[in-house]
Amino acid sequence: HVQLVESGGGSVQAGGSLKLPCAASGVTFSNHSMGWFRQAPGKEREGIAIIDLDGTHYSDSVRGRFTISKDGAVNTLYPQMNSLKPEDTGMYYCAADYPPTMGAVRPLSQSQYKSWGQGTQVTVS
């Protein structure tokens, strides 16, 4: 049984940084694609950072500012989010997919992700 629990959200000033832990149980990182998704107010949820068998993928909106990483020792997934902007405001979700994907045409698509956390809110002002 996969369980994903995000934490670390909150309010931050524009230009600041934030790191969001996603504690994963029932997941083996080497056997899963892992990702971070964001839902801004009034918008659909979108993929922003993914790790799959091809490596890492980022949306244009966060590339160069966000870094996705995983710590297998504590089974935790992170995005390190730097140079935050007001448009980064939203609910952040981590997700896991098994089996892991490779060669995906749309690696940031949420359609193949089966397991989701409850989300954590980030507000940038």
Side-chain angles (χ1 to χ4, degrees), residues 32-38 45-60 62-63 68 77 93-114 116:
H32 287 75
S33 291
M34 301 295 299
W36 281 97
F37 296 78
R38 175 175 70 195
R45 189 165 57 188
E46 61 170 346
I48 58 172
I50 301 294
I51 297 180
D52 62 17
L53 292 179
D54 294 318
T56 56
H57 311 271
Y58 297 95
S59 67
D60 291 342
V62 308
R63 187 177 294 112
I68 187 171
L77 182 76
Y93 300 89
C94 74
D97 178 47
Y98 176 85
T101 55
M102 183 170 61
V105 175
R106 298 175 60 211
L108 296 172
S109 172
Q110 62 178 317
S111 61
Q112 70 263 31
Y113 282 82
K114 305 176 187 66
W116 293 84

Side-chain angles (χ1 to χ4, degrees), residues 6-122:
E6 306 93 334
S7 61
S11 296
V12 62
Q13 289 189 338
S17 297
L18 208 57
K19 192 171 185 178
L20 304 178
C22 171
S25 59
V27 169
T28 303
F29 283 152
S30 60
N31 288 341
H32 287 75
S33 291
M34 301 295 299
W36 281 97
F37 296 78
R38 175 175 70 195
Q39 186 164 21
K43 295 187 178 181
E44 294 186 357
R45 189 165 57 188
E46 61 170 346
I48 58 172
I50 301 294
I51 297 180
D52 62 17
L53 292 179
D54 294 318
T56 56
H57 311 271
Y58 297 95
S59 67
D60 291 342
S61 62
V62 308
R63 187 177 294 112
R65 300 187 297 122
F66 289 16
T67 302
I68 187 171
S69 63
K70 48 188 180 182
D71 186 339
V74 293
N75 238 40
T76 301
L77 182 76
Y78 302 97
Q80 175 66 51
M81 308 188 296
N82 299 327
S83 303
L84 284 163
K85 305 175 181 180
E87 50 264 44
D88 293 318
T89 293
M91 187 70 78
Y92 284 72
Y93 300 89
C94 74
D97 178 47
Y98 176 85
T101 55
M102 183 170 61
V105 175
R106 298 175 60 211
L108 296 172
S109 172
Q110 62 178 317
S111 61
Q112 70 263 31
Y113 282 82
K114 305 176 187 66
S115 300
W116 293 84
Q118 82 289 347
T120 186
Q121 177 69 34
V122 172

